[in-house]
Amino acid sequence: MSVEPEVPIVQVEEVRENPVLYKIISSDNHVFTISEHAVKLSKTLWDLITNLGLTAENALDNPIPVENVNGKNMETIVQFCERHKYDEEEPEYTNYIREFVLPEWDRQLLSIDNEELFQLILATNYLDIQKLMDYCCRVIGDMAKDKTPEELRIIYGIPTDAEDDALERSASDSPGPSG
Amino acid sequence: MTVFTLLNLPDKALNIVLNNLEFDSQLGFSILSERTKALIKSMKIQIYGVELRIDHAQTSIYVYDTPETSGHWSFRTTVGKQSKTNHGDEFCELLYCIPISYRRIRGVSWEKAEFRMRDWTQHFLEVTNRQQFDELKIDGSSPNPIALYENAGDAKTIILTTFTYKNSQRSFAALFHPEVLVYSGSFNAEDTEICHELLMQNFEQLALSSVELYGGPARMELDSLLLINSCSIRLNGFIVTSKTLNRFLKHWIAASNPNMKYMRVNLKKVLSESEVLKGIPCFHAPDDQMPLPRRVRAIQKYQRHRARGNRRLRDSQKLLIEVIVIISALIFTLCLLCYVEPILREAHYAQLKADMENSTHREEP
C-alpha cells in the first residue's frame, strides 16, 4: 500500500518512548501518526494492522486509510488514544458505568457541539474504541441530570407516539427501491 | 445548541447512554413514548423493590434502587381545583410525579396529563419488569378495595390497619392474595372475627400487631393461637400469658398447626423464659446457624452500657432481647424486654443468666 498524502502530516503528540508508529489517513485525506500502544485502543485498527502484517519496519510506509472517519474526528480520536494508551484495563461498563468520574481533560476534549459529538460516536463505534465510547456516552447521559421528562424529550429529540406513527406510515407509503 | 438525536445512535452506544442515566432519568425517559418505554424495559433494570403507599391524602410510589436508596414519586391529590381523597370510591388521580432522589435535595415535577393512577402504576411495574408491587401500604385511609385492586393490582406484601380492613373486610380478602400480610389493629372483642379470619388464612408470613393507638393491647388466647395457618407468624404487642404460650408450644409440637414453621412473639409484658419453655424439649439456636443471633448481641450491648455506666439512657428505655429456640424443626422466637431501670434490669439480667444456664442443661439428653 502506498498513498502519498498531499496534506501535511498532523503530529498529535510526539512519541519518544515507543519507536513503532503508524500512519492513518482520514476520509478527507488528513494523515495522522499514532503510536502502537495508542492504536491498540481501537480494536478495528489493531485488527487491520495485524491482518495487513504491518511491522515496525514498514508501518510508516503503509498508511491505513479510514474511509468512515473525517480528519476532525480522527484528530480527537488520536489525541484521546495517545492520552489513554497506558491506562490500566477497566472492567466491563455494564455495572460500573454510573460510578466512574469523567476526568476533566476528557470532559474538555468532548466539550463539542451535539452534532460533532454524534459524529464522533459513530466514528468511535466504527473504530471500536470502548473507553472513548464510554466517555462520550457519559457526556450524553450527563445532559439528562435534573431534567423533567419533557425536557429530556427536547434535549434528545424524542418523537411522541403520534410522530412515531406518522413516520412509520410515511415510510411504509413511500415506494421502495424496486417500486 | 442543536438537539442530540439520541435514538439515531447505534444500538451499542444507545445502550451505554441509557445505562449512564441516573435512575430517575431512566424512568423519566421511559414515559416519553412507547419506544422509549420498550428501550428502558429491555434494559432489565435491577430494582430492589417497588412499593405503593396510600394514606388519606397522598399516593406515593417508592422505587428502591438498593435496599438503602429510593426514588420517591408522590402524587398530588387534586384534579384541577377539586380536592380528592383516598377514601371510598374516590381515588387520588395521579397528575404529577415528584421524584426525590437521594442524590438531590429538590424534586423535579413530572407531568403526563393523560396518565391516571392505573397508567402510572402499570408503567412503573412494566419498566421495572414486575408483575405486581412488592409492597402495598395503606395507612389512615380506606379506599374502595375494588377500585384499589383495579388501579394497583395485587402485591407480595400488604400492610394494613384496622381502619382499612374493617370497612372492606370481605371484598379485600376476596381480591388480594399477598404472600405477606402485616396488619395493625385493636383486636378487641368486636374485632375477634377479623383476627380469626386472618389467622386461618394461609400466608407465607402473617404479622399481627395489637396497637394502643387502635385500642390495643388485646389478649390472645390459646383458641386463637391454634387457628394459625400461615407458615410464619409474628405477634406483636398482644397480651399472652406464659401459661398460654407454654400450652400452645406443646400443641404446636404435637402438630396442631401443621403449616406453621416459625413463630415470633414480641410482648409488652416481661415473661419468664423458663416458664414459657417449661417441659418443652428445646435448645437455644446456635449463633452460627441462625441468620440473626440477636440474643447474644443484645446481651453484649447491654453489658457495654453497663460497663460504661451510661447514664444517658432513660429509665423507661428498654432493651429487646430475642430468645431463639429450636423445637424439633420449628423455630420459636420470644422477644423479652429488658428494662434499663436499675432494679428491673439487674433482676432481669439475673433471670436471663439463670435461664441460659438452665437451657444449657436442657441440651443434655
Side-chain angles (χ1 to χ4, degrees):
Chain A
M1 187 187 296
S2 61
V3 179
E4 284 304 321
E6 292 175 0
V7 290
I9 291 175
V10 182
Q11 291 287 355
V12 174
E13 188 181 325
E14 193 180 350
V15 184
R16 281 188 291 261
E17 67 277 31
N18 192 338
V20 184
L21 296 173
Y22 297 90
K23 274 185 191 171
I24 298 169
I25 304 176
S26 64
S27 60
D28 47 0
N29 285 331
H30 283 78
V31 180
F32 298 84
T33 309
I34 187 167
S35 66
E36 185 174 30
H37 276 104
V39 83
K40 278 181 176 174
L41 292 182
S42 163
K43 197 168 179 302
T44 306
L45 286 177
W46 187 242
D47 283 351
L48 203 58
I49 287 167
T50 313
N51 292 336
L52 290 171
L54 297 185
T55 61
E57 291 73 36
N58 65 7
L60 285 173
D61 299 330
N62 294 285
I64 305 160
V66 181
E67 298 291 339
N68 296 351
V69 182
N70 64 26
K72 193 168 186 180
N73 285 331
M74 189 60 86
E75 185 177 352
T76 308
I77 287 167
V78 173
Q79 278 183 348
F80 181 89
C81 291
E82 290 293 350
R83 175 83 179 185
H84 291 284
K85 63 186 172 185
Y86 296 130
D87 287 1
E88 283 179 19
E89 221 168 279
E90 288 176 358
E92 282 294 308
Y93 60 84
T94 43
N95 291 327
Y96 82 101
I97 200 149
R98 270 195 250 160
E99 309 305 325
F100 80 81
V101 178
L102 190 62
E104 189 51 37
W105 186 91
D106 299 277
R107 192 171 286 282
Q108 289 292 328
L109 182 76
L110 301 175
S111 295
I112 50 180
D113 182 68
N114 279 343
E115 181 53 33
E116 290 174 30
L117 187 57
F118 187 87
Q119 294 302 326
L120 180 62
I121 290 179
L122 295 186
T124 305
N125 188 52
Y126 173 71
L127 294 175
D128 200 353
I129 307 169
Q130 187 60 54
K131 196 180 192 101
L132 181 55
M133 179 68 95
D134 285 347
Y135 282 19
C136 289
C137 291
R138 162 50 62 93
V139 171
I140 301 162
D142 285 350
M143 294 175 187
K145 272 187 180 166
D146 296 332
K147 298 292 190 296
T148 65
E150 280 311 312
E151 287 169 332
L152 293 182
R153 187 189 294 287
I154 296 165
I155 293 165
Y156 292 143
I158 308 292
T160 60
D161 285 333
E163 288 166 342
D164 270 338
D165 289 345
L167 274 173
E168 205 173 308
R169 270 198 306 276
S170 67
S172 60
D173 291 346
S174 64
S178 59
Chain B
M1 187 175 270
T2 51
V3 169
F4 189 92
T5 49
L6 186 70
L7 298 180
N8 291 345
L9 280 177
D11 286 350
K12 183 182 176 185
L14 179 57
N15 188 37
I16 301 174
V17 172
L18 296 180
N19 269 299
N20 254 302
L21 297 183
E22 298 278 351
F23 183 62
D24 292 350
S25 302
Q26 287 173 335
L27 286 174
F29 183 78
S30 73
I31 68 167
L32 293 178
S33 69
E34 286 299 321
R35 192 173 167 201
T36 58
K37 184 168 96 173
L39 279 170
I40 295 296
K41 204 177 159 188
S42 70
M43 291 170 66
K44 297 197 174 5
I45 303 171
Q46 296 297 309
I47 294 297
Y48 179 75
V50 185
E51 297 175 6
L52 183 67
R53 299 185 190 179
I54 298 169
D55 65 22
H56 72 286
Q58 185 166 296
T59 303
S60 310
I61 293 176
Y62 281 77
V63 178
Y64 287 85
D65 198 356
T66 69
E68 293 84 26
T69 57
S70 69
H72 169 198
W73 284 258
S74 297
F75 300 95
R76 294 200 180 175
T77 56
T78 55
V79 176
K81 288 179 182 172
Q82 247 189 336
S83 177
K84 289 243 175 185
T85 66
N86 276 322
H87 289 290
D89 287 330
E90 280 194 317
F91 217 85
C92 290
E93 290 291 0
L94 310 183
L95 283 184
Y96 298 92
C97 284
I98 306 174
I100 303 166
S101 164
Y102 63 99
R103 297 180 185 89
R104 299 178 196 151
I105 299 167
R106 207 164 50 84
V108 180
S109 181
W110 293 8
E111 291 182 36
K112 187 128 173 128
E114 69 273 26
F115 262 34
R116 293 292 175 264
M117 176 158 176
R118 186 181 162 76
D119 303 305
W120 282 115
T121 53
Q122 287 307 306
H123 185 87
F124 272 77
L125 291 175
E126 273 190 56
V127 295
T128 53
N129 292 290
R130 274 169 163 71
Q131 301 291 322
Q132 58 184 1
F133 281 98
D134 295 294
E135 192 173 298
L136 168 62
K137 185 178 184 183
I138 307 165
D139 188 15
S141 70
S142 55
N144 178 332
I146 296 170
L148 178 63
Y149 187 79
E150 282 174 356
N151 282 286
D154 212 337
K156 282 183 192 164
T157 296
I158 295 185
I159 301 174
L160 295 177
T161 60
T162 301
F163 187 62
T164 307
Y165 195 74
K166 268 172 89 172
N167 296 342
S168 55
Q169 192 181 344
R170 297 293 162 211
S171 48
F172 197 94
L175 288 165
F176 293 89
H177 301 94
E179 290 173 16
V180 179
L181 185 77
V182 180
Y183 184 88
S184 302
S186 66
F187 295 103
N188 283 326
E190 63 268 29
D191 297 326
T192 309
E193 197 186 344
I194 295 176
C195 180
H196 285 182
E197 183 182 297
L198 292 173
L199 290 173
M200 282 190 289
Q201 288 186 53
N202 181 221
F203 299 106
E204 195 61 35
Q205 192 183 107
L206 174 65
L208 301 180
S209 297
S210 180
V211 183
E212 284 180 39
L213 182 68
Y214 303 116
R219 292 187 75 84
M220 181 69 80
E221 301 295 351
L222 180 64
D223 287 348
S224 301
L225 292 172
L226 290 171
L227 293 173
I228 298 170
N229 194 29
S230 295
C231 179
S232 170
I233 179 102
R234 295 164 71 106
L235 299 175
N236 298 310
F238 286 89
I239 298 169
V240 191
T241 64
S242 302
K243 195 175 171 185
T244 301
L245 262 184
N246 179 266
R247 286 176 64 198
F248 173 70
L249 292 176
K250 286 173 180 168
H251 280 285
W252 187 22
I253 299 166
S256 62
N257 306 61
N259 290 327
M260 187 177 150
K261 298 285 181 285
Y262 305 94
M263 182 183 205
R264 187 179 191 276
V265 183
N266 185 2
L267 306 170
K268 289 275 176 191
K269 198 181 164 197
V270 178
L271 295 184
S272 160
E273 183 185 341
S274 55
E275 276 181 38
V276 172
L277 300 176
K278 191 176 176 183
I280 294 170
C282 65
F283 58 91
H284 280 116
D287 292 346
D288 59 348
Q289 284 180 24
M290 297 303 297
L292 292 170
R294 290 186 195 159
R295 179 193 169 98
V296 175
R297 279 192 220 151
I299 291 173
Q300 285 171 347
K301 187 177 164 190
Y302 169 83
Q303 284 172 331
R304 278 204 302 277
H305 281 308
R306 202 165 168 240
R308 273 193 256 144
N310 193 332
R311 294 297 168 207
R312 281 180 300 173
L313 294 170
R314 294 193 307 275
D315 280 355
S316 59
Q317 198 164 344
K318 300 159 193 169
L319 188 64
L320 192 70
I321 296 178
E322 290 187 349
V323 180
I324 303 170
V325 294
I326 297 176
I327 309 168
S328 210
L330 311 170
I331 295 173
F332 174 65
T333 303
L334 179 64
C335 300
L336 298 172
L337 287 173
C338 180
Y339 293 91
V340 174
E341 195 276 318
I343 298 168
L344 270 177
R345 180 177 63 187
E346 294 302 329
H348 195 87
Y349 189 59
Q351 178 66 53
L352 272 174
K353 275 178 73 177
D355 285 350
M356 282 175 78
E357 282 162 17
N358 287 340
S359 67
T360 312
H361 294 147
R362 275 200 299 272
E363 282 181 49
E364 304 293 332

